[in-house]
Amino acid sequence: MKAKPEKYERGTRSYTMSHIRGKDTSIEVMVRRYLFSRGLRFRKNDKRYPGHPDIVLPKWHTVVFVNGCFWHMHEGCTKHSMPKSNVEFWSAKLLRNRERDRAQHAALEAIGWRVIVVWECELAKPVRQERLERLYTQIVGGDAAPAVPSDTAS
């Protein structure tokens, strides 16, 4: 099998990667819009809590993390694959991300917060509406399993 040609020139990739946002991503905005339209009020990226959760719902004592499948190593997901170049760097970086997520979720649970993770792949068009409705139910119904530190979280 022939290797795919590089998409970027050598210096361009680093510049491009440096502009990837950590907050207000399209999937995060999509989830926030849905929750706001359903009447929920929240804080976003609140720095008072471990991990600066994407969405904090104080009334429901719930935090929501909207995770990209690549950056948070969503196992079993087609959107996550280990880069073929500079494997040592990427595997260390992505594993650190995953471990940091687990520690932050545990810290939030320890202080009494319910943690819900929404994965990027769950917001694909065919399954988006069902996942957003389930998220709303998890928040107001309180039926969310305690934090979803596992990689198969829904």
Side-chain angles (χ1 to χ4, degrees), residues 7 69 86 91 135 151 154:
K7 193 172 185 177
C69 295
N86 208 1
S91 59
L135 173 63
D151 300 315
S154 343

Side-chain angles (χ1 to χ4, degrees), residues 5 33 41 66 134 152:
R33 276 191 186 139
R41 299 302 178 253
V66 183
R134 189 162 38 104
T152 58

Side-chain angles (χ1 to χ4, degrees), residues 34-96:
Y34 176 80
L35 295 177
F36 192 86
S37 74
R38 295 293 305 262
L40 296 180
R41 299 302 178 253
F42 48 82
R43 294 186 212 123
K44 57 182 202 162
N45 305 106
D46 197 327
K47 293 181 179 174
R48 292 178 291 179
Y49 304 104
H52 308 165
D54 299 317
I55 301 168
V56 178
L57 299 121
K59 178 179 178 181
W60 306 100
H61 220 60
T62 301
V63 296
V64 179
F65 287 92
V66 183
N67 288 348
C69 295
F70 172 76
W71 295 106
H72 297 270
M73 290 185 74
H74 189 196
E75 283 186 18
C77 176
T78 57
K79 290 185 179 253
H80 169 68
S81 62
M82 193 58 68
K84 304 282 186 271
S85 61
N86 208 1
V87 177
E88 208 173 291
F89 166 80
W90 282 109
S91 59
K93 177 175 183 54
L94 297 176
L95 284 170
R96 271 193 322 267

Side-chain angles (χ1 to χ4, degrees), residues 34-35 38-40 60 131-143:
Y34 176 80
L35 295 177
R38 295 293 305 262
L40 296 180
W60 306 100
R131 177 58 179 123
L132 291 172
E133 288 169 5
R134 189 162 38 104
L135 173 63
Y136 177 79
T137 304
Q138 285 178 302
I139 293 167
V140 299
D143 67 340

Side-chain angles (χ1 to χ4, degrees), residues 20-34:
I20 293 177
R21 295 183 306 227
K23 57 184 179 182
D24 295 332
T25 61
S26 59
I27 56 176
E28 190 179 318
V29 170
M30 178 190 316
V31 171
R32 288 198 318 245
R33 276 191 186 139
Y34 176 80

